[in-house]
């Protein structure tokens, strides 16, 4: 094959879903599955009604309630605006014949956890959702990307989008991850190296031996958070692990269909001759457990490092940004990261609340206690994750350590658009994906890290290196 | 959608990099089922003090920039959450164009769908504009999308690039859905092909079971 015919996995996916070439680098892209939540969809439905349009293909949509509901108890909570969002979504779905997963549904959970769990993310698909972390589905060799509400309306009305083809970027991560280092650290390392806007305009393919070695959960964590690089799509070539995951879900297609599909899926990889417009590599063995110190996800350093000096920035805008972040975070340059006291520990979100994440955190917490003055919360990514964790007794480990175990699922304190809100000035060790000002509550200070690092911080009462815990808990086995 | 041809007015400098949509439109304004009344939410945590009064130091509260129609922004503006409320609010506040080096992808597309012109230009041009509009006597700009120029107070017209399809959408204020529905037959044909081709059987099996 010569270079002109070589195609990246990304371009193969775009090509197989292109209804029409619109010229000027744009295609009319067919959307196989459209996922909706309660807070970015209402205006799309009202736009549709105002224009007297109908839903093009109701069975290709799935609506899930997750952002505004309480995870403390079933049902919403005393917030009429939240109730209105949820009721509006349910009404819209009923009116248009769209599959709805509400708070009374045993499959409910965070949308990007539920979709793969139900087997609805499969290699070769194109999936869109009014939520930026739709990049998650790249873990299956599917093209997933976030859209705004106008585009939600566009898909409802046409099952397609006017789509600009992105540039191809590849991030290769070779080597073996060290003890206590997880997929979360890998993606945070990439963000720290490349920058929060470093992949703007790009579809990023993750490759390399460290990616091949990841579990399904780890693959999802990385693709999920790739949007924090500015990537509009993240992709990984599907593997046996992906096929096995799809085959064991309740919506798995019948054997013969699956067998046929697999033959097609085997072709879903970038041709060797593809020239990526950007190619970056990372050494997995050099990645340490990472923690964000600032208010942008690229403001991230190893746990053993000290808070950076604003004076070291390349220009005045970046120096001011560092100063502003330090002021917001209540930190000073040169201060060691390890030892900074925390007020809250939060394990949850579509980045890190799968069963495997909970196991990792529980392995640190077994036989240990959350420090006094730390409020620790764990919110499973879905009801299914909660039930599976309970079956393994993980809930007991969390509870015995002093964590609040939430039986209901949702976004909770990842964005604090519900009844889990950190107070002004509170410092949160968090397994989530965004450390923006006010993200977890007005004035709240977020430090992003892996679930195991959150568990370690909860026990120590301050930011700390999980590797010291790892050695001792492994020795205890 | 409101078309954009030629617009003029004051441009405010907003040099901070990585301004995210949580900052542009804080989440307490998102619990709404309409697109209305979002102007008040724009940069609310920066614009207003705790007591609800104006934060006098915030750029859009300074008398000269109060009615700004354009923002000259830092790198990677609009990153983070997909919330289109950020763009609706900016439009409702009277902002018609943003000038920066890079914009986050979803935000950039949201701008296009709502008639907010996002101009991407090299860092050097952005920095020059930042410097000029930071001087209140030189903050007036005239943006002509038709001939792709930004005219500054000194009479200089600086050219900018824009993809032809996006330019056409913005100039005409096009309804993208109506346009796509002209291709309804092609979409149906694609679906039929998906249903009948042996390799695509799998897509047919995408039924969500309770
Ligand atoms: S868990 Fe957080 S990032 Fe994920 S969908 Fe919910 S709010 Fe968004």
């Amino acid at each position: 094959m010569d270079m002109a015919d070589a195609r990246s996995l990304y371009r193969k996916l775009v090509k197989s879903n292109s209804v029409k070439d619109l010229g000027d680098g744009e295609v009319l892209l067919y959307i196989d599955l459209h996922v909706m939540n309660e807070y970015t969809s209402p205006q799309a439905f009202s736009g549709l009604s105002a224009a007297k349009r109908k839903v093009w293909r109701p069975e290709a949509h799935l609506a899930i309630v997750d952002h505004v509901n309480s995870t403390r108890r079933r049902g919403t909570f005393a917030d009429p605006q939240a109730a209105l969002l949820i009721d509006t979504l349910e009404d819209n779905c009923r009116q248009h014949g769209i599959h709805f997963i509400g708070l009374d549904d045993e499959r409910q959970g965070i949308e990007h956890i539920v979709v793969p769990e139900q087997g609805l993310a499969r290699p070769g698909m194109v999936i869109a959702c009014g939520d930026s972390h739709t990049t998650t589905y790249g873990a299956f060799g599917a093209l997933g990307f976030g859209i705004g509400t106008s585009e939600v309306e566009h898909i409802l009305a046409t099952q397609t989008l006017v789509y600009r083809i992105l540039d191809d970027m590849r991030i290769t991560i070779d080597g073996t991850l060290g003890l206590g280092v997880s997929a979360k650290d890998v993606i945070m390392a990439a963000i720290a190296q490349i920058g929060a806007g470093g992949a703007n305009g790009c579809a990023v393919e993750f490759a390399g031996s460290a990616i091949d070695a990841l579990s399904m959960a780890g693959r999802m964590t990385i693709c999920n958070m790739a949007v924090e690089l500015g990537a509009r799509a993240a992709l990984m070539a599907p593997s046996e692990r992906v096929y096995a995951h799809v085959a064991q879900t309740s919506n798995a297609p019948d054997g013969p269909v699956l067998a046929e599909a697999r033959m097609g899926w085997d072709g879903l990889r970038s041709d060797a001759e593809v020239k990526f417009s950007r190619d970056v590599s990372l050494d997995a063995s050099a990645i340490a457990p990472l923690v964000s110190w600032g208010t942008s996800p690229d403001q991230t350093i190893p746990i053993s490092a000290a808070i950076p000096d604003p004076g070291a920035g390349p220009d005045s805008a970046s120096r001011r940004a560092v100063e502003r972040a330090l002021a917001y975070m209540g930190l000073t340059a040169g201060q060691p990261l390890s030892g900074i006291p925390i007020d809250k520990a939060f394990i949850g979100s579509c980045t890190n609340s799968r069963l495997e994440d909970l196991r990792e955190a529980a392995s640190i917490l077994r036989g240990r206690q959350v420090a006094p003055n730390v409020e620790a919360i764990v919110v499973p990514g879905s009801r299914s994750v909660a039930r599976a964790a309970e079956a393994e007794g993980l809930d007991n480990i969390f509870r015995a350590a002093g964590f609040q175990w939430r039986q209901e699922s949702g976004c909770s304190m990842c964005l604090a658009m519900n009844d889990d809100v950190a107070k002004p000035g509170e410092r949160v060790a968090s397994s989530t994906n965004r450390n923006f000002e006010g993200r977890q509550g007005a004035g709240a200070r977020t430090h992003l890290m892996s679930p195991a690092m959150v568990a370690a911080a909860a026990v120590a009462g301050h930011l700390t290196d999980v590797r010291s815990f790892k050695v001792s808990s492994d020795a205890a086995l | 959608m409101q078309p954009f041809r030629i617009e003029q007015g004051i441009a405010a400098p907003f040099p901070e990099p990585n301004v995210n949509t949580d900052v542009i439109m804080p989440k307490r304004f998102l619990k709404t089922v309409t697109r209305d009344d979002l102007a008040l939410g724009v940069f609310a945590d920066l614009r207003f003090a705790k007591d609800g009064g104006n934060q006098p130091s915030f750029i859009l509260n300074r008398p000269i920039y109060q009615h700004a129609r354009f923002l000259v922004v830092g790198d990677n503006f609009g990153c983070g959450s997909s919330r289109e409320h950020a763009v609706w609010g900016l439009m409702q506040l009277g902002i018609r164009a943003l000038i920066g080096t890079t914009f986050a992808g979803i935000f950039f597309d949201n701008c296009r769908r709502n008639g907010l012109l996002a101009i991407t230009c090299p860092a050097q041009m952005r920095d020059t504009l930042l410097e000029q509009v930071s001087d209140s006597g030189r903050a007036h700009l005239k943006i002509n999308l038709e001939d792709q120029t930004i005219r500054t107070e000194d009479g200089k017209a600086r050219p900018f690039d824009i993809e032809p399809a996006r330019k056409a959408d913005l100039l005409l204020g096009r309804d993208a859905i109506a346009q796509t529905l002209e291709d309804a037959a092609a979409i149906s044909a694609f679906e039929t092909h998906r249903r009948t081709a042996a390799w695509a059987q799998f897509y047919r099996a995408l039924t969500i079971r309770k």
Side-chain angles (χ1 to χ4, degrees):
Chain A
M1 184 185 299
D2 63 42
M3 250 161 73
D5 299 327
R7 269 207 190 86
S8 64
L9 166 56
Y10 169 68
R11 276 164 206 260
K12 289 181 184 179
L13 293 172
V14 170
K15 182 161 190 285
S16 70
N17 269 51
S18 289
V19 171
K20 188 182 171 185
D21 186 349
L22 300 174
D24 188 28
E26 297 189 346
V27 295
L28 191 61
L29 187 72
Y30 192 79
I31 309 300
D32 296 307
L33 175 67
H34 170 232
V35 184
M36 271 179 286
N37 59 51
E38 70 275 25
Y39 94 101
T40 61
S41 65
Q43 297 86 352
F45 281 106
S46 47
L48 199 72
S49 304
K52 301 200 165 49
R53 288 176 177 137
K54 61 180 188 44
V55 176
W56 178 276
R57 194 174 151 228
E59 66 271 27
H61 307 262
L62 173 65
I64 302 173
V65 173
D66 56 0
H67 282 70
V68 303
N69 60 288
S70 174
T71 56
R72 296 165 195 261
R73 61 193 72 85
R74 192 158 299 203
T76 46
F77 53 106
D79 179 351
Q81 286 176 301
L84 176 65
L85 285 173
I86 296 174
D87 292 346
T88 303
L89 181 59
E90 184 165 12
D91 287 349
N92 282 327
C93 288
R94 191 177 306 125
Q95 193 185 328
H96 294 281
I98 290 171
H99 201 98
F100 173 75
I101 297 185
L103 297 176
D104 291 324
D105 196 307
E106 286 314 311
R107 299 166 300 174
Q108 188 269 345
I110 304 170
E111 50 194 344
H112 307 308
I113 306 273
V114 173
V115 167
E117 205 167 67
Q118 295 299 321
L120 300 174
R122 301 164 183 181
M125 287 177 73
V126 174
I127 305 175
C129 170
D131 187 278
S132 56
H133 291 97
T134 310
T135 50
T136 309
Y137 310 124
F140 293 85
L143 174 59
F145 56 93
I147 53 175
T149 303
S150 295
E151 299 205 315
V152 170
E153 184 179 335
H154 201 121
I155 298 178
L156 286 167
T158 71
Q159 205 54 43
T160 62
L161 282 177
V162 174
Y163 182 80
R164 165 160 291 277
I165 300 173
L166 304 165
D167 288 338
D168 280 301
M169 175 169 171
R170 179 168 59 187
I171 301 179
T172 305
I173 306 150
D174 283 315
T176 310
L177 293 176
L179 181 74
V181 181
S182 70
K184 179 66 161 284
D185 299 299
V186 172
I187 185 63
M188 286 178 70
I191 296 165
Q193 178 172 326
I194 299 162
N200 269 339
C202 295
V204 174
E205 178 170 343
F206 290 93
S209 61
I211 299 298
D212 296 339
L214 288 172
S215 67
M216 213 48 246
R219 291 167 66 98
M220 284 191 263
T221 296
I222 289 180
C223 290
N224 171 284
M225 218 175 149
V227 70
E228 261 56 70
L229 285 162
R232 193 67 193 278
L235 285 164
M236 292 177 179
S239 62
E240 282 302 325
R241 198 164 269 154
V242 173
Y243 306 160
H245 176 100
V246 171
Q248 53 86 29
T249 58
S250 64
N251 284 299
D254 304 334
V257 176
L258 196 60
E260 177 117 32
R262 278 193 55 151
M263 298 203 293
W265 293 346
D266 285 338
L268 291 177
R269 50 202 69 250
S270 292
D271 297 326
E273 298 83 354
V274 170
K275 182 101 189 70
F276 286 84
S277 47
R278 274 191 75 192
D279 230 329
V280 179
S281 20
L282 263 76
D283 173 7
S285 65
I287 300 173
L290 295 168
V291 176
S292 72
W293 59 266
T295 54
S296 173
D298 54 357
Q299 292 174 324
T300 285
I301 52 177
I303 180 65
S304 55
I307 304 295
D309 182 354
D315 54 60
S316 68
S318 63
R319 282 194 291 273
R320 264 202 312 275
V322 170
E323 276 165 15
R324 194 189 153 86
L326 288 179
Y328 181 85
M329 294 298 290
L331 299 171
T332 44
Q335 186 179 2
L337 195 54
S338 181
I340 295 173
I342 62 160
D343 304 294
K344 282 191 157 64
F346 178 72
I347 297 174
S349 89
C350 56
T351 308
N352 277 129
S353 64
R354 297 178 185 84
L355 185 59
E356 177 176 296
D357 299 314
L358 304 189
R359 284 181 187 146
E360 276 287 312
S363 77
I364 301 299
L365 294 171
R366 196 186 309 263
R368 294 195 172 100
Q369 282 295 315
V370 171
N373 308 324
V374 172
E375 186 186 12
I377 303 169
V378 53
V379 182
S382 69
R383 291 221 172 102
S384 315
V385 169
R387 297 304 88 83
E390 285 161 1
E392 290 182 15
L394 299 183
D395 57 326
N396 291 330
I397 297 175
F398 280 106
R399 281 205 192 90
F403 262 80
Q404 295 173 33
W405 173 259
R406 295 290 170 80
Q407 285 177 309
E408 302 303 323
S409 181
C411 298
S412 179
M413 210 189 288
C414 176
L415 94 167
M417 208 172 145
N418 43 59
D419 53 354
D420 285 317
V421 182
K423 294 187 195 70
E426 276 190 334
R427 196 176 291 288
V428 190
S430 185
S431 75
T432 54
N433 44 51
R434 286 183 176 145
N435 52 346
F436 299 158
E437 284 184 24
R439 174 79 179 183
Q440 297 192 292
R445 295 161 170 165
T446 303
H447 292 276
L448 305 174
M449 61 196 81
S450 72
M453 283 285 284
V454 174
V459 169
H462 54 76
L463 302 179
T464 190
D465 193 333
V466 69
R467 289 174 294 189
S468 57
F469 283 70
K470 270 279 183 196
V471 174
S472 52
S473 45
D474 292 350
L477 287 177
Chain B
M1 185 177 105
Q2 197 178 343
F4 191 114
R5 299 174 75 80
I6 302 168
E7 298 279 349
Q8 51 184 323
I10 295 293
F14 211 98
E16 225 181 297
N18 303 322
V19 171
N20 62 68
T21 54
D22 281 64
V23 167
I24 303 172
M25 182 63 63
K27 58 184 145 270
R28 60 183 180 281
F29 298 94
L30 305 183
K31 286 187 182 166
T32 170
V33 296
T34 71
R35 298 175 194 228
D36 307 332
D37 305 323
L38 288 166
L40 206 65
V42 179
F43 299 119
D45 291 338
L46 306 173
R47 243 165 97 203
F48 305 114
K50 287 224 164 51
D51 63 5
N54 277 354
Q55 191 71 260
S57 62
F58 183 64
I59 189 77
L60 296 179
N61 288 333
R62 295 192 204 155
I64 157 87
Y65 298 115
Q66 233 168 30
H67 303 291
R69 310 209 66 207
F70 315 122
L71 300 179
V72 184
V73 298
D75 302 344
N76 195 30
F77 190 83
C79 60
S81 153
S82 64
R83 60 189 72 167
E84 197 164 314
H85 310 67
V87 173
W88 299 332
L90 284 167
M91 290 284 287
Q92 289 168 21
L93 195 66
I95 304 293
R96 294 294 283 122
L98 307 168
I99 305 165
T101 55
T102 52
F103 294 89
I106 303 177
F107 179 84
F108 189 73
D109 288 348
N110 288 341
C111 287
R112 170 174 173 178
R113 303 288 170 230
N114 288 278
L116 180 60
L117 171 62
I119 298 175
T120 54
C121 64
Q124 201 187 354
M125 173 165 157
R126 190 272 316 270
D127 293 344
T128 307
L129 288 170
L130 260 181
E131 193 194 307
Q132 291 203 9
V133 307
S134 298
D135 172 353
S136 58
R138 294 191 295 156
H140 188 274
L141 300 181
K142 182 172 178 183
I143 301 179
N144 185 330
L145 178 56
E146 234 152 36
D147 66 9
Q148 298 180 213
T149 56
I150 302 172
R151 196 173 289 274
T152 43
E153 293 271 20
D154 52 15
K156 234 185 173 165
R158 291 163 202 280
F160 63 87
D161 283 337
I162 183 167
E163 317 81 73
R166 184 160 68 95
K167 178 177 178 179
D169 276 359
L170 287 161
L171 277 176
L172 301 170
R174 263 202 303 229
D175 174 353
I177 297 178
Q179 186 130 335
T180 295
L181 285 172
E182 286 174 18
D183 285 322
I187 300 171
S188 298
F190 181 89
E191 289 180 326
T192 307
H193 172 69
R194 267 283 164 92
R195 267 199 299 277
T196 49
W199 66 270
Q201 274 209 47
F202 187 65
Y203 292 89
R204 209 171 16 164
L206 186 74
T207 44
I208 305 163
R209 292 196 273 262
K210 175 77 190 178

